[in-house]
C-alpha cells in the first residue's frame, strides 16, 4: 500500500511539473508567432523603403539631368551673347567721326547697330541723307569684315505720331518704317552685303526703345542674326 501510494504520489507530482512546462511551451510558441509576424511586417516596410529609395533616386537623377540641361542652355546662350567687350570691339571698328552717330546694343538676343533717323532721314522721307550714307558705308564695311554670310535684319522704327503730311505716300507708320528699312538695305547691298542674307522688317511704332523719348524711337536697327 505504501509503495502504491508512493507511485500515485509520484505521478501526481510529475503531472504537476509537466503542466507548467506545457503552459510555457504555448507561451513560447505564441511569442514566436508574434516575432515572426513582426519580422514579416519589418520585411514589408523594408521592401517599401527600398522602392521609395529607388523612386527618389530616379526623381533625383531626372532633376539633376534637367538642371544640367538648363545650365548647358544658359552656358550656350551666354557664349552666344555678345558682352560689353564685343560691343566695344564693334564700336572700335567705326571711325571716331561716326562712332557717336550709331547705337550699338544687345536687343532681343542679338547684336544691333542702331542708326537714328536724325542721322539718316529727313522727316517723312525715305531718301538717305549724305551723312547717313557715310555712316552706312562704315556699317557695311563692318558687316562684310566681321559678319560675312550671316543673316542681317534691317528693322525700321518710328515714334507714335500718326502720319499727317505724307498720307499720299505712306499708309501708316509701319509702311514708312518698312520703306526706310528697304532704302537702308539697298544701300548696304550696294556696298557688298549679300542681298540674299538681308531680311526687311517694318515695326512702325511697335518696338520703342523709350516710352518717352520719341526721337530715340525713330531709327533703323541693323541686327546681326545667326
Amino acid at each position: 500500500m505504501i509503495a502504491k501510494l508512493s507511485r500515485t504520489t509520484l505521478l501526481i507530482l510529475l503531472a504537476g511539473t509537466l503542466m507548467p512546462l506545457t503552459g510555457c511551451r504555448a507561451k513560447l510558441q505564441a511569442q514566436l508567432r508574434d516575432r515572426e509576424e513582426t519580422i514579416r511586417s519589418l520585411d514589408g516596410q523594408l521592401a517599401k523603403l527600398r522602392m521609395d529609395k529607388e523612386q527618389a533616386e530616379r526623381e533625383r537623377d531626372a532633376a539633376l539631368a534637367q538642371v544640367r540641361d538648363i545650365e548647358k542652355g544658359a552656358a550656350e546662350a551666354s557664349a552666344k551673347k555678345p558682352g560689353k567687350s564685343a560691343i566695344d570691339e564693334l564700336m572700335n571698328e567705326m571711325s571716331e567721326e561716326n562712332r557717336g552717330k550709331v547705337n550699338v546694343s544687345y536687343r532681343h538676343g542679338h547684336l544691333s547697330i542702331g542708326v537714328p533717323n536724325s542721322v539718316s532721314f529727313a522727316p517723312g522721307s525715305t531718301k538717305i541723307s549724305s551723312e547717313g550714307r557715310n555712316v552706312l558705308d562704315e556699317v557695311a564695311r563692318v558687316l562684310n569684315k566681321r559678319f560675312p554670310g550671316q543673316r542681317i535684319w534691317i528693322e525700321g522704327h518710328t515714334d507714335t505720331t500718326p502720319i499727317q503730311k505724307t498720307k499720299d505716300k505712306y499708309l501708316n507708320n509701319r509702311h514708312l518704317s518698312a520703306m526706310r528699312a528697304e532704302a537702308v538695305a539697298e544701300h548696304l547691298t550696294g556696298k557688298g552685303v549679300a542681298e540674299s542674307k538681308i531680311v526687311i522688317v517694318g515695326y512702325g511704332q511697335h518696338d520703342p526703345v523709350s516710352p518717352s523719348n520719341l526721337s530715340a524711337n525713330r531709327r533703323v536697327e541693323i541686327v546681326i542674326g545667326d
Side-chain angles (χ1 to χ4, degrees):
M1 184 66 178
I2 295 173
K4 188 176 181 179
L5 289 173
S6 299
R7 184 179 179 183
T8 302
T9 302
L10 180 63
L11 290 173
I12 292 171
L13 291 173
L14 182 61
T17 302
L18 291 175
M19 287 178 65
L21 291 176
T22 303
C24 290
R25 182 180 179 184
K27 184 177 180 180
L28 288 173
Q29 288 176 340
Q31 290 176 349
L32 181 60
R33 287 193 296 272
D34 290 342
R35 290 182 181 180
E36 289 175 347
E37 182 65 28
T38 300
I39 290 171
R40 284 194 294 271
S41 176
L42 290 173
D43 285 342
Q45 293 178 29
L46 180 59
K48 185 177 185 305
L49 288 172
R50 286 173 176 166
M51 292 177 61
D52 291 344
K53 178 176 177 289
E54 292 173 357
Q55 178 65 25
E57 288 175 346
R58 287 192 293 269
E59 292 176 356
R60 178 204 62 193
D61 292 342
L64 288 174
Q66 186 176 12
V67 169
R68 285 193 294 269
D69 289 342
I70 292 172
E71 290 177 344
K72 181 180 177 182
E76 290 175 351
S78 178
K80 291 181 179 180
K81 178 179 177 179
K84 188 177 185 299
S85 60
I87 294 175
D88 291 340
E89 288 175 8
L90 197 151
M91 288 292 289
N92 289 335
E93 293 281 352
M94 306 288 292
S95 67
E96 187 174 350
E97 175 189 0
N98 290 327
R99 201 172 294 162
K101 297 177 182 179
V102 298
N103 300 310
V104 181
S105 62
Y106 185 73
R107 299 191 75 246
H108 305 316
H110 294 282
L111 191 64
S112 177
I113 305 171
V115 183
N117 284 355
S118 59
V119 172
S120 51
F121 296 103
S125 174
T126 59
K127 182 179 179 180
I128 302 174
S129 66
S130 58
E131 183 181 19
R133 289 195 298 272
N134 183 38
V135 171
L136 292 173
D137 287 349
E138 283 209 48
V139 171
R141 177 180 58 78
V142 171
L143 294 178
N144 290 327
K145 177 182 177 180
R146 294 180 61 88
F147 308 102
Q150 288 188 234
R151 182 78 63 187
I152 304 294
W153 278 270
I154 312 297
E155 302 177 350
H157 300 266
T158 69
D159 60 25
T160 56
T161 305
I163 290 177
Q164 297 292 338
K165 296 181 179 180
T166 54
K167 285 183 178 181
D168 57 327
K169 294 182 180 180
Y170 315 113
L171 298 175
N172 47 41
N173 281 329
R174 189 187 293 275
H175 185 201
L176 172 60
S177 68
M179 294 299 291
R180 284 176 169 171
E182 174 69 33
V184 170
E186 287 183 4
H187 187 89
L188 294 179
T189 56
K191 296 298 177 178
V193 179
E195 184 177 5
S196 61
K197 296 296 182 180
I198 289 180
V199 178
I200 296 170
V201 183
Y203 278 100
Q205 71 271 27
H206 299 295
D207 186 25
V209 292
S210 171
S212 57
N213 188 343
L214 297 183
S215 63
N217 295 331
R218 298 190 294 268
R219 69 205 190 277
V220 173
E221 297 274 353
I222 301 162
V223 182
I224 294 88
D226 299 325

